[in-house]
């Protein structure tokens, strides 16, 4: 066996305690924000049958063609995949447990997603999303509500410099008409198309519009527009979404080239983008997916959802100068000798009974070195217990931000410390 130091898998990150404080804070803000809109939490497995993603996301997409971590269960031969996104699993769970039986559902989940991409800043192989899904809602009101929710979250987080891009993908019939025109158009410009675009020409021509290849931009620019094929219902839906956003003073930009990377979207699609993260500028993306539930085997029902990239959001937060929340400690307990140790742990538990955050010194050392640790912990007070105190069932309380050390009996300790905490 080699004794080289083992490393995490490339593109999969440890989140160390310092940074984790920011994650915890972010997760709390997100939970409160979702509760304010009536969304309820759902938790799905990280592993699903590969066929779920093939069916939901589409065979001819970046994710299914080249980004999925798929493997065979060596015990029973099942084809499994680490989830690359959450919508498919969420819809699967909702159908499996019949949650749409008599009411629409507002649901959210958060956690790691897995995609085999080239790792770079803001793009990882294990990354985290908060996903928000409203199932069983047909109207433009929910589309607008989800977009407005995002705007509120950015405000809560103090994130500026994000803009909203909006588009509509219409419905199946108009997409089919547009698709036929697109294929005919691109066939006339075959020489300009790169290999990937040529390959997708007949299987998924819409995705060619999403290409970032500069050599193809002029041809893409002049391609037939879906907007020209939309029927009046889809146009009215889109107009209504825009009207609600305008009423709420949410600025947006219509981007007819916004087609999203997944096949399941129709009608409203949107992305929140920033110029601050280089090429990885999309922090949140989503849209309507009225056909997906039926595609996964359920009774047809409309739905709308979006997902945020947590890593990208946190970079923005840090850039905006969000001060890292520090872990808070109320009390540090310093003690020496056997009798003092017994009293120290009793006192620590007594204080925790009243929800104080107590760091008990472990590992011995002189009073002086223990006091240094108490200082560094950021505690409001330290409790000092020597043999002398222990014998008298008393402790000394030292306010760490200046002030006299006082000696109190154990029964008075909680009240004494509370006074110092209240003064903070
Ligand atoms: P991109 O165009 O950046 O590849 P995408 O369209 O594949 O994004 P979605 O599937 O819509 O992304 O996922 C929603 C959000 O999740 C993205 O807007 C982004 O913020 C984040 N995200 C997607 N892939 C990654 C990744 N590999 N690493 C970090 N964040 C990611
Ligand atoms: Mg991608």
């Amino acid at each position: 066996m080699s004794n080289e130091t083992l490393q995490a898998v490339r593109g999969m990150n440890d989140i160390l305690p310092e940074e984790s404080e920011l994650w915890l804070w972010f997760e709390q803000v997100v939970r409160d924000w979702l509760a304010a809109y009536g969304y309820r939490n759902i938790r799905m497995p990280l592993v699903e049958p590969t066929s779920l993603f093939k069916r939901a996301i589409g065979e001819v997409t970046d994710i299914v063609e080249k980004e999925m971590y798929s493997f065979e269960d060596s015990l029973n031969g099942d084809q499994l995949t680490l989830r690359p996104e959450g919508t498919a699993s969420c819809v699967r769970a909702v159908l499996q447990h019949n949650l749409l039986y008599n009411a629409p559902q507002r649901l959210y989940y958060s956690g790691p997603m897995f995609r085999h991409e080239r790792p770079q800043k803001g793009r990882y192989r294990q990354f985290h999303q908060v996903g928000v899904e409203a199932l069983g809602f047909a109207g433009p009101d929910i589309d607008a509500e989800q977009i407005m929710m995002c705007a509120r979250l950015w405000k809560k987080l103090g994130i500026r410099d994000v803009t909203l891009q909006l588009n509509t993908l219409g419905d199946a019939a108009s997409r089919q008409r547009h698709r036929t025109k697109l294929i005919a158009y691109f066939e006339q410009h075959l020489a300009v198309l790169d290999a990937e675009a040529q390959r997708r020409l007949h299987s998924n021509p819409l995705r060619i519009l999403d290409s970032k290849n500069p050599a193809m931009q002029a041809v893409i620019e002049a391609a037939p527009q879906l907007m020209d094929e939309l029927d009046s219902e889809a146009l009215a839906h889109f107009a209504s979404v825009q009207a609600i956003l305008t009423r709420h003073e949410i600025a947006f930009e219509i981007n007819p080239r916004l087609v999203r990377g997944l096949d399941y979207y129709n009608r409203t699609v949107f992305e929140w983008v920033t110029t601050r993260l280089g090429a990885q500028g999309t922090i949140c993306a989503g849209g309507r997916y009225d056909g997906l539930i039926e595609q996964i085997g359920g009774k047809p029902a409309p739905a709308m959802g979006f997902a945020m990239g947590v890593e990208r959001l946190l970079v923005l937060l840090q850039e905006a100068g969000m001060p890292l929340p520090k872990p808070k400690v109320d009390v540090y307990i310093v003690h020496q000798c056997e009798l003092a140790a017994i009293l120290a742990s009793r006192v620590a538990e007594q204080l925790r009974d009243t929800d104080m955050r107590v760091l008990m010194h472990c590992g011995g050392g002189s009073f002086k070195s223990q006091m240094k640790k108490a200082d560094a912990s950021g505690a409001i007070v330290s409790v000092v217990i020597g043999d002398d105190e222990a014998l008298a069932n008393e402790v000394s309380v030292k306010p760490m931000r200046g002030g006299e050390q006082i000696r109190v009996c154990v029964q008075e300790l909680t009240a004494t410390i509370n006074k110092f905490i209240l003064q903070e």
Side-chain angles (χ1 to χ4, degrees):
M1 211 168 33
S2 139
N3 56 4
E4 248 175 74
T5 322
L6 288 169
Q7 302 274 320
V9 175
R10 197 164 117 78
M12 304 200 180
N13 301 315
D14 299 308
I15 298 160
L16 302 179
E18 186 98 349
E19 202 190 338
S20 202
E21 293 294 334
L22 184 64
W23 283 71
L24 287 169
W25 175 82
F26 170 78
E27 284 158 5
Q28 189 57 51
V29 172
V30 164
R31 266 204 293 276
D32 293 344
W33 161 71
L34 286 160
Y37 287 87
Y39 280 80
R40 297 172 69 205
N41 185 237
I42 182 168
R43 299 172 186 229
M44 301 82 65
L46 301 190
V47 177
E48 295 276 0
T50 304
S51 55
L52 171 66
F53 301 115
K54 286 193 175 165
R55 231 203 283 177
I57 299 172
E59 299 258 7
V60 195
T61 54
D62 282 348
I63 292 182
V64 172
E65 278 183 342
K66 51 191 184 200
E67 294 176 358
M68 293 205 305
Y69 282 92
S70 297
F71 56 97
E72 188 182 290
D73 183 327
S74 62
L75 296 179
N76 61 12
D78 287 353
Q79 295 300 318
L80 304 176
T81 294
L82 290 179
R83 65 179 187 192
E85 53 104 52
T87 303
S89 311
C90 181
V91 170
R92 197 256 323 123
V94 162
L95 293 179
Q96 184 174 333
H97 303 286
N98 212 11
L99 294 191
L100 282 180
Y101 178 60
N102 55 14
Q105 295 280 339
R106 282 179 166 94
L107 303 173
Y108 78 91
Y109 47 82
S110 60
M113 306 293 162
F114 303 86
R115 297 185 193 175
H116 199 279
E117 306 199 62
R118 193 170 66 77
Q120 52 199 294
K121 191 169 181 212
R123 191 174 293 285
Y124 309 102
R125 290 179 174 173
Q126 175 177 324
F127 63 100
H128 296 74
Q129 285 186 341
V130 175
V132 177
E133 318 283 358
L135 303 118
F137 295 89
D141 48 357
I142 199 88
D143 306 23
E145 184 185 273
Q146 288 197 345
I147 292 169
M148 278 154 48
M149 281 174 76
C150 296
R152 178 181 296 278
L153 182 62
W154 311 149
K155 215 195 251 166
K156 269 177 176 264
L157 293 171
I159 290 179
R160 275 160 293 133
D161 301 326
V162 282
T163 55
L164 171 61
Q165 306 225 326
L166 197 62
N167 191 22
T168 177
L169 301 179
D171 295 312
S174 32
R175 285 169 78 166
Q176 192 53 47
R177 282 196 301 275
H178 178 236
R179 184 190 151 96
T180 309
K181 287 192 179 168
L182 261 189
I183 293 176
Y185 169 82
F186 281 128
E187 271 174 342
Q188 289 177 337
H189 297 90
L190 216 50
V192 188
L193 301 189
D194 59 22
E196 178 158 287
Q198 291 196 12
R199 197 166 45 75
R200 285 178 167 173
L201 177 55
H202 292 275
S203 54
N204 196 349
L206 202 62
R207 298 282 291 127
I208 299 177
L209 300 178
D210 209 16
S211 164
K212 301 194 168 72
N213 183 346
M216 288 164 44
Q217 292 313 302
V219 168
I220 289 174
E221 209 72 59
Q225 299 247 338
L226 176 63
M227 213 54 102
D228 299 331
E229 305 295 333
L230 296 185
D231 56 43
S232 57
E233 277 167 24
L235 281 171
H237 185 105
F238 194 41
S240 185
V241 173
Q242 293 176 58
I244 301 172
L245 293 178
T246 306
R247 258 201 318 273
H248 287 270
E249 294 177 20
I250 309 276
F252 56 86
E253 204 175 283
I254 296 198
N255 176 0
R257 292 196 31 205
L258 186 69
V259 296
R260 306 286 307 113
L262 317 176
D263 270 2
Y264 51 59
Y265 290 111
N266 70 307
R267 293 205 177 179
T268 315
V269 287
F270 68 91
E271 287 192 2
W272 289 93
V273 294
T274 172
T275 48
R276 291 176 158 270
L277 301 175
Q280 273 59 251
T282 305
I283 53 166
C284 176
R288 185 159 273 289
Y289 51 91
D290 294 333
L292 181 63
I293 294 176
E294 187 178 16
Q295 204 171 305
I296 309 190
K299 243 185 30 216
M304 166 90 190
F306 63 91
M308 301 181 271
V310 178
E311 283 81 356
R312 294 183 192 177
L313 269 171
L314 292 187
V315 171
L316 276 190
L317 271 182
Q318 275 160 322
E319 278 196 359
M322 235 305 287
L324 269 177
K326 280 251 173 296
K328 290 206 176 90
V329 178
D330 297 316
V331 184
Y332 195 101
I333 301 187
V334 165
H335 58 93
Q336 211 160 39
C337 302
E338 211 170 310
L339 202 57
I342 293 168
L343 181 59
S345 63
R346 207 178 86 217
V347 157
E349 288 300 310
Q350 172 190 324
L351 295 174
R352 289 178 188 126
D353 282 343
T354 65
D355 291 334
M356 284 184 200
R357 290 161 290 206
V358 182
L359 256 185
M360 166 89 166
H361 183 84
C362 288
S366 67
F367 265 131
K368 196 166 162 221
S369 74
Q370 291 191 36
M371 280 314 293
K372 267 195 193 151
K373 296 234 164 67
D375 241 344
S377 75
I380 299 167
V381 297
S382 60
V383 168
V384 183
I385 312 175
D387 252 357
D388 182 34
E389 280 100 342
L391 278 170
N393 206 28
E394 290 180 348
V395 300
S396 296
V397 177
K398 181 174 165 30
M400 300 303 284
R401 325 249 202 270
E404 286 297 302
Q405 176 165 322
I406 51 174
R407 195 163 153 158
V408 297
C409 66
V410 169
Q411 290 76 12
E412 284 167 25
L413 178 62
T414 307
T416 308
I417 293 182
N418 261 327
K419 256 185 253 152
F420 286 114
I421 292 178
L422 283 176
Q423 282 167 18
E424 272 285 301

